[in-house]
Amino acid sequence: MTQTHLTDTRFDSFDLDPRILQGLQDTGFTHCTPIQAEILPLALPGRDVAGQAQTGTGKTAAFLVTALQRLVTYEPHPQRRVNQPRVIIVAPTRELAVQIHRDTVVLNRHTGFRLGLVYGGTGYQEQRDVLNAGVDILVGTPGRLIDYYKQGVFDLRAVEVAVIDEADRMFDLGFIRDIRYLLRRMPPPTKRQGMLFSATLSYRVTELAYEHMNHPHPVKIQPDQVTADRVSQHCFMIANDEKIPLLVGLLRGLEQARVIVFANTKRATEAIWGYLEGHGLHAAVLSGDVPQKKRLRLLKQFQEGALPILVATDVAARGLHIPDVTHVINYDLPEDAEDYVHRIGRTARAGAAGDAVSFVCETYAFCLPDIEAFIGAKIAVRPVTPDLLAEIDPARFVRTPRRRHPQDKRRGHGHGHGGRHKSRPKAVEGEPHKAETKETEGAGVKQRRRRRRRKTGGTGDGDSTVAPRS
């Protein structure tokens, strides 16, 4: 959970259960943030709310306090079964779900409700066992929730509070049909409390709220100020081939910094990592293809300060509270202006200051006008002076370790006996390397024909009983 600019409203000014107040005190929370001060008077009596606020302003604590207060105030339905959660919180990404669950553990320490956390990529049977034992509060991502639901591991007929966090991200990731699937299997909106939160409330998110909630009250905090006011923003106009020298030069000039470097593609993050590691800058890659256990381990190391630099795609841009991030560097400008806001929202959290640096390169320069229009301000341009550009030795590029695919040997990829392809450092910009030459493509066709002839006894052209491949 996170603190930002605080109001004069104290948590103990609300009629909260002493056990919840004790949980808040354990975290050091005494005064509400603006979104909490607006949401709690509406949500605690049971009204549905749709809240918009800048990322990192305390939305998570607002809905957790509301949900816990409802659970301690009302007894569960006498016919409720053990596999029926009373509160369900849906998050778009695994990392955000883990963070919400971690915050819930802290606030729930004195109330003792049973918690469950489900997300894809790992722990399938362990998560299933937790649900079978029964939970009161269930936090999860849409895909894994629907998977267990369809198997009958739990059902949604006893849900009293439904929370949708980062609703606009649900649309971006294609989860909106899953969200509607879950909401339609809960009690009707008049029989449960609904809370929807997002850093941006678009028309489509508002439509979702009014379709599946009971006349939600909209709450918008600082709607005219899109980016955090304590983020210092500037950019460099730069050629593509100067991006790596500038990045290395900037990072070498930072002391005791915790930096997230954002790129638009997984391939770019791996190339950036290779150059940073090769030039003495310890970093890690966080993208959607990184195995879940490794992603969580890397996030933990970065949050604890053991890892100074995280190179990430937009999988790390939303919802995650990582304390003390001093700098965000947009190695690639995002093509969606809203993603810029979410990226730089990783710094200047908890009322601290932070720096957001963007590279305006030949490939993504067209994104800058849209970003400036969206945030309603011009981003200051700084000159690229020679002293900022580091000397880069391509021979020191570190290749990204790759997991072997079970079919790599047959396909002739990697270093198996079936192929001669050797990994090479890939340029950060430009077209990808071709996987095969015309000669290897022709050899592959001949090998397939020989296999068909051996299998069928035919010629591989007209006599084979196996249809030739296209």
Side-chain angles (χ1 to χ4, degrees), residues 52-55 57 199-200 221-231 233 337-345 370-377:
Q52 172 185 314
Q54 295 170 196
T55 183
T57 54
T200 55
I221 302 299
Q222 297 178 334
D224 297 327
Q225 186 178 9
V226 180
T227 56
D229 58 355
R230 304 201 64 176
V231 180
Q233 303 174 64
E338 289 187 13
D339 287 336
Y340 175 84
V341 175
H342 291 294
R343 286 183 182 185
I344 71 172
D370 290 341
I371 291 172
E372 292 180 331
F374 185 78
I375 66 175

Side-chain angles (χ1 to χ4, degrees), residues 264-342:
N264 288 348
T265 65
K266 167 182 170 290
R267 180 172 172 266
T269 61
E270 292 177 346
I272 293 167
W273 176 87
Y275 283 109
L276 294 184
E277 285 287 334
H279 290 79
L281 296 165
H282 184 41
V285 171
L286 184 66
S287 68
D289 288 347
V290 176
Q292 179 62 19
K293 288 184 178 180
K294 184 177 180 180
R295 290 167 70 179
L296 295 176
R297 184 176 72 251
L298 293 176
L299 276 174
K300 186 173 185 293
Q301 292 174 351
F302 186 70
Q303 290 172 338
E304 293 175 349
L307 184 68
I309 304 169
L310 194 65
V311 185
T313 57
D314 282 316
V315 72
R318 301 214 185 191
L320 296 182
H321 171 55
I322 302 175
D324 305 323
V325 174
T326 59
H327 295 75
V328 166
I329 298 179
N330 288 304
Y331 183 89
D332 296 329
L333 280 179
E335 297 182 72
D336 187 336
E338 289 187 13
D339 287 336
Y340 175 84
V341 175
H342 291 294

Side-chain angles (χ1 to χ4, degrees), residues 243-254:
K243 291 172 74 174
I244 284 294
L246 178 59
L247 179 63
V248 173
L250 290 176
L251 291 174
R252 283 178 175 172
L254 301 178

Side-chain angles (χ1 to χ4, degrees), residues 11 63 97 106 114 126 137 161 182 194 204 216 308 313 392 412 420 422 424 453 455:
F11 281 104
F63 64 71
V106 176
R114 297 168 298 173
E126 292 84 353
I137 302 174
V161 179
L182 293 169
R204 58 184 182 175
T313 57
I392 300 299
R420 297 181 180 178
K422 294 182 180 180
R424 298 173 292 173
R453 285 198 294 268
K455 182 175 180 180

Side-chain angles (χ1 to χ4, degrees), residues 356-371:
V357 182
S358 298
F359 292 0
V360 184
C361 66
E362 301 162 75
T363 304
Y364 295 106
F366 71 93
C367 302
L368 183 61
D370 290 341
I371 291 172

